[in-house]
Amino acid sequence: MMKQDIFQAIADPTRRAILTLLAIQALTPNAMAEKFDMTRQAVSKHIKVLYECELIKPEQSGREIYYHFNAKKMQEFDHWLSQFRQNWETQFNQLDQLLTTIKEQK
Amino acid sequence: MMKQDIFQAIADPTRRAILTLLAIQALTPNAMAEKFDMTRQAVSKHIKVLYECELIKPEQSGREIYYHFNAKKMQEFDHWLSQFRQNWETQFNQLDQLLTTIKEQK
DNA sequence: TATATATGCAACTTTTGAGTTGCGCAAATT
DNA sequence: AATTTGCGCAACTCAAAAGTTGCATATATA
């Protein structure tokens, strides 16, 4: 498992749109293909990428497969991003200080 | 401006490493190239991508260019992620409830 | 049982992107 | 002034990824 890179997975705009859709409700591959102007097979390949990095989960229902958004996996991004969070808070505090200093000089 | 996609920029592992480096301290292209086993020109291309989506900012100093991490831009990513945050909190609450129910049944 | 539908897999083409080599320009050094 | 150094740009190669067509399989429906 984890054949695919989660960063690579969200790099594609179509896959991001799929994730946004699935975050609202689970859908079958056919239903997704109808939403985008794309063949079913093309969507199917995106699904494979998203599935392999565990961003979505399949739920078999007869011959249909409903794909669900896996929120837990999305948190990996959040974790990666957190290394910068300290940094941007600092940069903004510095900006705040600068603005305050300018104000006081007036 | 904004020729490059921020998601695309982050998709590459080398560019992610560059961002991590620059979040700690500003560096010149040559300094970055030394960190990775890569030609300066290869790094230079990554710099271009990161610059064009405003994830880094150049600071000219003589003939050297120090590139700084732009924390503000990274927040855009955070913003995109926030659409799922509600979702994953919900999914975890549901999991919590399920686990609680199972416990109570014992 | 025959047929239609939903899906995944494989082969192929086309596009994109990472990395290299070579060049030119501007700032430092001699 | 000549040379070295730091950098960006353009052309090229090569690998990966997006999308297509065709096919196989499994589940419904007639």
Side-chain angles (χ1 to χ4, degrees):
Chain A
M1 46 191 72
M2 203 50 180
K3 300 169 190 173
Q4 287 279 346
D5 187 336
I6 191 167
F7 292 94
Q8 191 62 36
I10 64 152
D12 185 86
T14 303
R15 285 196 288 267
R16 286 202 300 279
I18 289 174
L19 286 176
T20 300
L21 274 178
L22 296 189
I24 298 166
Q25 62 169 343
L27 291 171
T28 65
N30 260 325
M32 295 182 220
E34 281 174 20
K35 300 272 183 181
F36 310 101
D37 198 14
M38 201 175 287
T39 61
R40 185 187 57 75
Q41 287 84 346
V43 172
S44 203
K45 285 187 81 169
H46 287 305
I47 288 173
K48 197 183 175 192
V49 172
L50 293 170
Y51 170 68
E52 285 183 351
C53 70
E54 298 173 41
L55 276 167
I56 62 176
K57 295 172 290 187
E59 178 210 355
Q60 191 93 30
S61 168
R63 64 180 168 184
E64 289 182 326
I65 300 177
Y66 285 89
Y67 282 93
H68 294 257
F69 173 62
N70 182 14
K72 190 180 179 184
K73 204 64 186 181
M74 192 59 98
Q75 281 195 302
E76 276 191 17
F77 275 118
D78 203 47
H79 179 253
W80 177 77
L81 206 59
S82 67
Q83 73 177 307
F84 302 106
R85 203 156 280 140
Q86 178 74 46
N87 194 292
W88 79 52
E89 279 163 7
T90 305
Q91 284 194 17
F92 291 145
N93 285 341
Q94 285 173 355
L95 181 62
D96 280 348
Q97 280 186 12
L98 179 66
L99 292 173
T100 306
T101 307
I102 291 169
K103 263 188 179 174
E104 286 170 351
Q105 283 174 347
K106 284 187 180 175
Chain B
M1 45 195 76
M2 202 50 180
K3 300 168 189 172
Q4 287 278 347
D5 186 332
I6 188 170
F7 293 95
Q8 192 62 36
I10 289 172
D12 184 84
T14 302
R15 285 197 288 267
R16 287 201 300 277
I18 289 175
L19 286 176
T20 301
L21 274 178
L22 297 189
I24 298 165
Q25 62 169 343
L27 292 171
T28 64
N30 262 325
M32 295 182 220
E34 281 174 19
K35 299 272 183 182
F36 309 101
D37 197 16
M38 202 176 286
T39 62
R40 184 186 58 76
Q41 286 84 347
V43 172
S44 204
K45 285 186 82 171
H46 287 305
I47 288 173
K48 196 183 177 193
V49 173
L50 293 169
Y51 170 68
E52 284 182 352
C53 68
E54 298 172 43
L55 276 168
I56 62 177
K57 295 171 291 187
E59 177 210 355
Q60 190 93 32
S61 168
R63 66 180 166 180
E64 290 183 327
I65 300 175
Y66 285 88
Y67 283 93
H68 295 257
F69 174 62
N70 182 14
K72 191 180 178 184
K73 205 64 186 181
M74 192 58 98
Q75 282 196 303
E76 275 190 18
F77 196 57
D78 198 49
H79 180 255
W80 177 79
L81 207 59
S82 68
Q83 74 177 302
F84 301 106
R85 203 156 280 143
Q86 177 76 46
N87 196 293
W88 78 52
E89 280 163 6
T90 305
Q91 284 193 16
F92 291 146
N93 286 342
Q94 285 172 355
L95 181 63
D96 281 346
Q97 279 184 15
L98 180 65
L99 292 174
T100 306
T101 307
I102 290 170
K103 263 188 180 173
E104 286 170 350
Q105 284 175 344
K106 286 188 178 176

